[in-house]
Amino acid sequence: MLLIIAGAVSTHAQRIAVNNNILFDFTGALSAGVEIPCTKSTSLDVYGSIRPWKRGNITVHKHWLVQAQYRIWPCQVMNGFFFGPYVHSGEFNLGGQAVLFTLLNGLKQKRYEGWLVGGGIGCGYEYALAKHWNVGAEIGVGYTYINYKKTDCEECGTYYGYDDYHYIGISRLGLSISYVF
């Protein structure tokens, strides 16, 4: 992947975009991404998010996540409609809080710690605000395999064992702002 990025940087250095997913900002996570054109109608978007802190012994929301997407642009790279496959992976430690769109039942009473991997297909639209600024929105549907251990919310709570979860549905959602070099 680094060789692809290095090759794209040397041939298309004037079109590299640095972006931020505003939806991750609302969760208190740090997030950033980079998008590089591969050809006249495709690009590679690599994005990461991390939230390394917790709020106490009971409430925890820590994670790291990496997503990569190969984007196909029917008209112009980094402007207009796009679609393409993506993959994602990460680790999480969640518990002691109610989450609006939770995948794991009982998140308020239990702690879930584990990892995930998956992929799917997404589509979106980027709009050029100015010469160097874009805003965009994206949604993706795919499959995610989640492996986790479940404990009580306390740091040394009762251990309930490992389990897994097979999720099919919305697995990529973004509202982003980008600076294009």
Side-chain angles (χ1 to χ4, degrees), residues 45-58:
D45 179 62
V46 180
Y47 185 82
S49 172
I50 186 167
R51 184 174 176 174
W53 50 83
K54 63 181 185 174
R55 294 187 207 149
N57 287 343
I58 295 178

Side-chain angles (χ1 to χ4, degrees), residues 88-152:
H88 56 251
S89 182
E91 289 184 308
F92 59 89
N93 186 351
L94 303 169
Q97 60 187 2
V99 176
L100 183 60
F101 299 112
T102 184
L103 302 177
L104 304 169
N105 294 329
L107 195 56
K108 182 79 174 165
Q109 295 81 22
K110 304 288 184 238
R111 177 182 286 183
Y112 297 86
E113 185 175 354
W115 57 273
L116 58 92
V117 64
I121 187 146
C123 67
Y125 192 88
E126 288 224 8
Y127 179 76
L129 291 176
K131 182 177 179 181
H132 294 285
W133 291 99
N134 286 3
V135 293
E138 179 181 8
I139 190 165
V141 177
Y143 167 78
T144 303
Y145 173 76
I146 304 170
N147 185 282
Y148 62 91
K149 71 177 180 179
K150 182 166 59 169
T151 62
D152 282 332

Side-chain angles (χ1 to χ4, degrees), residues 14 19-21 30 37 46 57 65-66 70 74 77 85-86 93 130 133 141 166 169 173 177 180:
Q14 72 279 7
N19 55 50
N20 177 34
N21 188 340
L30 304 172
V46 180
N57 287 343
L65 175 69
V66 176
Y70 183 74
V77 173
Y86 63 87
N93 186 351
W133 291 99
V141 177
H166 300 273
L173 190 61
I177 186 160
V180 182

Side-chain angles (χ1 to χ4, degrees), residues 65-88:
L65 175 69
V66 176
Q67 295 183 334
Q69 182 178 30
Y70 183 74
R71 292 181 172 178
I72 300 162
W73 301 83
C75 293
Q76 180 184 7
V77 173
M78 294 188 211
N79 190 19
F81 175 76
F82 66 87
F83 64 94
Y86 63 87
V87 294
H88 56 251

